Amino acid sequence: MNLLDANTRNTKSKGDVRSLRLAGNIPGIVYGGPDQNQKVAVLKKTLKSLIEKGSFLSNIITLNLDGKPQNVLPREITYNVISDEPTHIDFLRVVPGVKIRIEVPVVFINHETSPGLKRGGVLNIVRREIELKCPSEKIPSAITIDLDGVDIGESFKISSVKLEEGVTPTIIGRDFVIATLAAPTVMKEPEKPAEAEAEAAEDGKEAAAPAAEGDKKDGEEKKATEEKK
């Protein structure tokens, strides 16, 4: 589990928040559960390193707030439209038993053992993330799709994914498709066998021989005609 240090912030104006950011910190808020909302500040450098790891918004984080650890889930990050730097972050307290909605990434494994991909098949990914409703203590880090032994024409639906008890997709009433393994759009022409290439070469030689003899005969007749003259 990722760890992120945080401190309580007492900013009261836009100027205070601006000074906080200039010092290399990002303002945020912790909410949810029976406790009151808390204004916090986290180090931007540490926050960016966690974001760059991937799946940041679907992983529980231990927030070490003023030396007291508590589990939280990152819910929303605001970015500067020009620099694309994070400017604010929201954290949701993880309260056991409380269900939340969260988008979980889809991960594909064992590409190298898929006969369909080996034959040039194309993996069409319909959904790269799936929104789930689950208890906060049962959030999956990813939905894993195993491509081992999968051939062209096969598809993956939500019904083929094994989810923990209490974890359900927010889309209900239909067995939606996550990905398909389709045939290649351009079929590769099979290579000609060596025997066929050899036969073609022999046929070419035989066809060329009569033509050469005919040319020679025409030349001799032309020469005889000139001598008579």
Side-chain angles (χ1 to χ4, degrees), residues 10 13 16 21-22 30 51 64 73 75 81 84 91 107 113 116 119 130 135-136 139 148 163 169 176 194 196 209 229:
N10 297 311
S13 65
D16 293 340
R21 293 191 179 112
L22 289 173
V30 180
I51 294 173
N64 194 19
L73 184 68
R75 293 303 282 169
V81 294
D84 203 31
F91 296 104
V107 176
T113 55
R119 293 195 295 115
I130 297 176
S136 56
I139 300 172
D148 182 34
L163 299 172
F176 59 86
K229 291 179 180 179

Side-chain angles (χ1 to χ4, degrees), residues 1 15 63 156 195 218 221:
M1 188 177 294
L63 191 69
F156 302 95
E195 294 84 354
D218 290 343
E221 290 177 355

Side-chain angles (χ1 to χ4, degrees), residues 199-219:
E199 289 177 4
E202 283 296 323
D203 291 343
K205 290 179 180 178
E206 291 175 2
E213 291 175 0
D215 292 343
K216 182 178 180 182
K217 185 177 181 181
D218 290 343

